[in-house]
Amino acid sequence: MPREIRLNAFEMNCVGHQSPGLWAHPRDRAWQYKDLEYWTDLAKLLERGKLDGIFIADVIGIYDVLNGNGEAAIRQSTQVPVNDPLALITPMALVTEHLGFGLTASLTFEHPYPFARRLSTLDHLTKGRIGWNIVTSYLDSGARNLGQKALGGHDDRYDYADEYLEVLYKLFEGSWEEGAVLRDREKRIFSDPSKIHEINHLGKHFQVPGIHLCEPSPQRTPVLYQAGASNRGKQFAAEHAECVFVAAPSKVILKNAVADIRRRAAEAGRDPYQVRIFNLQTVILGETDAQAQAKWQDYKSYVSYEGALALISGWTGIDFGQYRPDQVLKHIHTNAIQSAVEAFSTADPNKQWTVRELADWVGIGGFGPLFVGSAQTVADQLQEWVEETDVDGFNLAYAVTHETFVDVVELLVPELQKRGAFKTEYAPGTLREKLFGAGPRLPESHPGAGYRDLAALATQPSSKAAIA
Ligand SMILES: Cc1cc2nc3c(=O)[nH]c(=O)nc-3n(C[C@H](O)[C@H](O)[C@H](O)COP(=O)(O)O)c2cc1C
């Protein structure tokens, strides 16, 4: 029996997400991101294809590392202009019943107390279809506009994130007991104060004495996504994330990354297969291989070199404007090279990557791999990657929207279904139930479940809550 493949659509509330320059393609609709219909059409399409979810990226800040300014990003609409992703979710929820929503939100820029209320509200309104992609941000330009000189230190951001999650777990899991909401019309009691607890969080970064403002939502804690690439980031993911998002360009790198994430999850006392891992992936499909190849050639002619460099420079913090296009990556000051670029320079000892080749790669679908072909060809490749790397599924970036997703729904999904590798019906229930086949709440082995009984936590001097 082939393994089931999970698929999300990867989007962003902007024009140029992962395929810089392709906004200029005559069939691309990304410029309509400001219209609700763009999003409701997409949500209906994805649900027709039984995709697990739409995963919405977000950044606060502009890509201003290339040449020390944001001009290339602005010219090429490289993730700027960018609207807030949160407002997209309720209209998409209204026109769908099963599609999951992965919302990216940075914990660096918003206090956990109002943010907890936002997430609970969305979990209520979507009937438990919310996931949260926990990001700590990587653009200094965002931090500067919030009155900070720069982002905090890399590992410090994850320490901060640990405490942020602790506050959220207390609010979501511990503040309102089961049965706290009575809605008892006869006694005229809506909620029972004896079952609603102040969380009394006194920590290094946050003081949150009160109760959660929302009654428990279907999942309480939304499904937690994370995409840490560093050692500290992967550790954070192993402890907290239920779904991990990676951008591995080759099978060898993906296989190592998946094994590493599962090993770390097991070390953190969790079932390693209770962590779903998705790789970034782009597919260009046609009725035949030749048609798909022709589509790819057409798309490629729209890739923007400076847009691609703006993205890579923003992601890595390295100004690629200082290098010639034919400069070999391996020779770029290696001590500054960050994991993603390093992956390219070391992936294949027989290949030397130049700056131009890296920009071409990133030009369609960012750092993730690109498969081009008929549904049969691409399905073969996806299945091969799943079998050989143990990855659970893919976050599909688009080249041209909605065209890429129409091709996925009309060509790829039926082929995978025919092979028994993709669901033909959604599982019932919340996003967590659909993804893991268990209950709507965090499993007992997840650290967040440890905050369900706040009173008991407070009496244990060694507990995190007591220390806080
Ligand atoms: C595929 C992928 C998608 C990501 N999407 C976002 C995003 O939408 N917003 C964001 O601020 N960071 C995003 N990130 C960045 C990660 O949250 C993280 O900062 C990055 O992978 C570096 O990891 P590290 O901080 O552990 O080194 C993404 C990373 C990957 C690999």
Side-chain angles (χ1 to χ4, degrees), residues 230-247:
S230 61
N231 197 37
R232 183 67 182 88
K234 283 194 242 177
Q235 200 49 45
F236 179 86
E239 282 168 27
H240 299 280
E242 299 174 270
C243 298
V244 177
F245 187 13
V246 288

Side-chain angles (χ1 to χ4, degrees), residues 134 158 162 165 169 224-246 257-277 436 442-443 445-448 464:
I134 308 166
Y158 281 111
D162 274 331
L165 267 286
Y169 293 144
L224 299 173
Y225 271 81
Q226 214 263 341
S230 61
N231 197 37
R232 183 67 182 88
K234 283 194 242 177
Q235 200 49 45
F236 179 86
E239 282 168 27
H240 299 280
E242 299 174 270
C243 298
V244 177
F245 187 13
V246 288
V258 171
D260 189 33
I261 292 162
R262 298 213 196 280
R263 180 184 57 76
R264 287 171 190 256
E267 276 172 17
R270 300 175 58 202
D271 175 350
Y273 285 90
Q274 284 294 307
V275 179
R276 296 259 182 249
I277 304 169
F436 299 101
L442 282 175
S445 59
H446 190 281
K464 273 190 170 178

Side-chain angles (χ1 to χ4, degrees), residues 108-182:
T108 304
F109 302 132
E110 186 171 359
H111 192 282
Y113 194 64
F115 184 62
R117 187 169 72 143
R118 273 181 222 288
L119 285 180
S120 294
T121 303
L122 285 175
D123 202 47
H124 279 297
L125 293 176
T126 60
K127 297 192 167 50
R129 288 190 276 151
I130 283 294
W132 171 37
N133 178 29
I134 308 166
V135 300
T136 58
S137 296
Y138 51 83
L139 293 171
D140 271 339
S141 59
R144 283 197 300 274
N145 285 296
L146 276 104
Q148 301 161 14
K149 279 209 181 81
L151 284 171
H154 179 273
D155 287 9
D156 295 343
R157 295 207 299 275
Y158 281 111
D159 293 344
Y160 180 89
D162 274 331
E163 192 186 330
Y164 198 103
L165 267 286
E166 191 181 329
V167 174
L168 292 186
Y169 293 144
K170 288 176 180 171
L171 291 168
F172 292 144
E173 302 290 331
S175 184
W176 291 59
E177 284 181 36
E178 291 300 307
V181 178
L182 301 174

